[in-house]
Amino acid sequence: MTEHYQHRARKRFGQNFLHDAGVIDRILRSIHAKPEDRLLEIGPGQGALTQGLLGSGAQLDVVELDKDLIPILNQQFAGKSNFNLHQGDALKFDFNSLGAAPNSLRVVGNLPYNISTPLIFHLLHNASLIRDMHFMLQKEVVERMAAGPGGGDWGRLSIMVQYHCRVEHLFNVGPGAFNPPPKVDSAIVRLVPHSVLPHPAKDHKLLERVVREAFNQRRKTLRNTLKLLLSNAEIEAAGVDGSLRPEQLDLAAFVRLADKLSEQAPPTPGAD
Ligand code: SAM
């Protein structure tokens, strides 16, 4: 006799399971997986998207943190030769362990909203492995990713995502598509890593640092927020007006500031 596993959604794992067949179908059509694809699903849950992804014939690895969901996933999918289950934390997952060719991995997931930003940063650090990403996220997060300079949505997330990827806000999904319904609206985003970075920084860690520092106090002028990193003369030499606020700068200007920072001599070890 087949065993039936019961599972109650857990808040601490950000569990909101998709149950709307129309929404699931629209997501799968946006991904449009082919048999030759190499897919990675983050947080398969009870398999709402997994089923259709496997149906494409593509090779699918999934990473699920909740141990209680493992038997449910195995019961449904363990017999499929294109299915490979990893129990663990996607934030610590070594994407290189999959042995995927550069630029081949297609990452998908209805992401747990509590870890979506750190997870996207973790994935961006592996952007050279990735062909594209399709995620369900809080709508507000997708709006920040897709924003342009000049408004309140433009910030660290927009800049670092757009440094690595082209961003497409595909469509919105209301709370009723999930069980239990989340308190916020959601949206599907497509991220496609650039084959050639449009604004390459000499050191992308310095770009992260400049952007983090600049937006720590987004109401202040750049010469104020960046004073521990760059003098006003250095800011001006990078072609940036130090009296502007960070949200007024585009990606190219942040890259020029990071490159200016990279020209500084590293501190001499032992010097005070
Ligand atoms: N994909 C399913 C769906 O659409 O119905 C589930 C989506 S639910 C929003 C998020 C899933 O991610 C849950 O199954 C949760 O247990 C899992 N999860 C949460 N934190 C995780 C982590 N750090 N690593 C991997 N999976 C995680």
Side-chain angles (χ1 to χ4, degrees), residues 7-272:
H7 185 268
R8 269 193 332 132
R10 289 207 181 85
K11 220 173 174 173
R12 78 187 157 98
F13 290 136
Q15 289 176 349
N16 300 98
F17 298 115
L18 266 172
H19 69 82
D20 183 320
V23 170
I24 293 170
D25 187 54
R26 200 166 169 200
I27 297 170
L28 292 170
R29 278 188 285 122
S30 302
I31 299 168
H32 195 61
K34 305 256 180 56
E36 62 274 20
D37 286 349
R38 195 63 214 268
L39 303 177
L40 170 67
E41 185 185 7
I42 300 190
Q46 299 175 326
L49 296 171
T50 318
Q51 177 88 33
L53 293 172
L54 282 170
S56 71
Q59 176 66 42
L60 174 70
D61 286 81
V62 304
V63 185
E64 174 56 59
L65 180 59
D66 185 351
K67 289 196 176 77
D68 292 346
L69 286 170
I70 303 304
I72 295 176
L73 289 163
N74 271 330
Q75 185 182 11
Q76 292 183 81
F77 307 120
K80 311 232 182 233
S81 61
N82 53 339
F83 178 70
N84 199 358
L85 173 61
H86 309 261
Q87 193 275 318
D89 184 348
L91 284 172
K92 297 188 188 135
F93 191 75
D94 175 9
F95 301 107
N96 287 301
S97 70
L98 296 173
N103 211 12
S104 71
L105 204 56
R106 305 194 68 200
V107 187
V108 308
N110 169 15
L111 294 188
Y113 294 163
N114 48 350
I115 62 153
S116 57
T117 305
L119 187 59
I120 283 165
F121 276 88
H122 182 43
L123 286 159
L124 292 177
H125 289 138
N126 293 276
S128 61
L129 268 183
I130 297 172
R131 188 173 116 204
D132 60 22
M133 301 178 254
H134 290 80
F135 294 131
M136 174 89 78
L137 296 165
Q138 256 175 275
K139 179 166 155 256
E140 178 234 307
V141 173
V142 172
E143 283 167 352
R144 282 199 274 132
M145 285 182 173
D153 281 343
W154 178 247
R156 179 174 171 241
L157 186 65
S158 346
I159 294 168
M160 293 320 301
V161 169
Q162 291 175 32
Y163 177 78
H164 292 283
C165 301
R166 176 164 59 79
V167 181
E168 283 175 63
H169 179 162
L170 295 183
F171 57 91
N172 297 334
V173 179
F178 304 86
N179 189 10
K183 291 201 174 64
V184 291
D185 280 329
S186 304
I188 296 286
V189 69
R190 175 185 290 143
L191 305 175
V192 184
H194 300 298
S195 45
V196 178
L197 293 178
H199 304 287
K202 291 196 174 113
D203 179 342
H204 85 270
K205 289 234 161 62
L206 290 181
L207 177 66
E208 281 183 18
R209 192 154 153 217
V210 166
V211 171
R212 196 179 331 110
E213 229 22 70
F215 283 97
N216 255 343
Q217 292 164 295
R218 61 186 301 143
R219 303 261 149 247
K220 293 204 170 168
T221 62
L222 287 160
R223 79 164 72 92
N224 233 308
T225 58
L226 294 181
K227 67 175 176 241
L228 293 177
L229 298 179
L230 293 163
S231 67
N232 193 45
E234 287 173 311
I235 294 175
E236 305 280 333
V240 174
D241 178 351
S243 69
L244 294 177
R245 285 186 302 172
E247 68 190 35
Q248 295 172 282
L249 253 54
D250 62 9
L251 169 59
F254 278 107
V255 170
R256 291 201 303 278
L257 290 172
D259 286 353
K260 184 50 73 183
L261 186 58
S262 75
E263 289 169 14
Q264 292 174 357
T268 321
D272 50 26

